[in-house]
Amino acid sequence: IIEFWSNPYKLDPTQLEHLYVKKGLSANQITDELGVSKATVLSRLHKFKLMQNNWVQRAANPKNYRLSNPPYGYKVKNGILVVNRSELKICRLIIRLLKEKRFSFSTIPIELKRRGVKNRKGTLNWGYWTVKNIWKRWNKSI
């Protein structure tokens, strides 16, 4: 059975809340599911005050990842955030250098370049913030 909305402006707010808030779907994904325009979905979300300002947090949902660059150590596969084993080895190296060797965030990029460790883009350019973000994400789990 294909659902057809004779009047899309009468979309059920509870259904929109379920799809947008509880399931964490984007407006495009709701559009595909309900068969209405994106403008209609967005206007209804605003009208029912379901739109949230934390779109980055919603887009970073590991089960429905929609940002352009996944965090280091992960890759996106079919919209789901999964561990990237080759990057995870680099994350382990960085954590080991920080914990055991007592390197600082600013000396690790120099050490990685010296060792010839390439980043995601295939270059030897590592930065302070990349190392710090890897530390924040992986410190307790590796």
Side-chain angles (χ1 to χ4, degrees), residues 17-25 29 33 58 61 64:
E17 181 180 19
H18 173 73
L19 294 172
Y20 187 74
V21 178
K22 294 190 172 89
K23 282 181 80 176
L25 298 181
Q29 292 167 328
E33 192 158 317
R58 286 177 42 77
N61 178 358
N64 188 18

Side-chain angles (χ1 to χ4, degrees), residues 11-106:
L11 290 175
D12 183 20
T14 56
Q15 184 181 24
L16 279 177
E17 181 180 19
H18 173 73
L19 294 172
Y20 187 74
V21 178
K22 294 190 172 89
K23 282 181 80 176
L25 298 181
S26 68
N28 279 337
Q29 292 167 328
I30 294 171
T31 296
D32 293 341
E33 192 158 317
L34 297 181
V36 296
S37 72
K38 184 177 176 181
T40 301
V41 170
L42 289 173
S43 69
R44 298 296 98 190
L45 289 172
H46 282 294
K47 180 179 181 190
F48 301 135
K49 295 180 176 42
L50 297 173
M51 261 327 228
Q52 300 170 353
N53 292 332
N54 60 352
W55 66 270
V56 173
Q57 185 179 11
R58 286 177 42 77
N61 178 358
K63 295 180 182 173
N64 188 18
Y65 197 81
R66 299 184 307 271
L67 296 176
S68 59
N69 290 326
Y72 208 86
Y74 289 101
K75 63 183 173 183
V76 179
K77 192 172 188 178
N78 298 326
I80 298 172
L81 212 54
V82 294
V83 173
N84 183 340
R85 292 183 189 269
S86 61
E87 289 183 359
L88 191 58
K89 290 177 185 177
I90 298 169
C91 294
R92 284 189 181 119
L93 172 64
I94 290 172
I95 299 302
R96 196 178 85 237
L97 289 173
L98 284 163
K99 284 184 175 178
E100 295 171 10
K101 305 284 185 181
R102 303 282 188 212
F103 277 68
S104 68
F105 291 123
S106 55

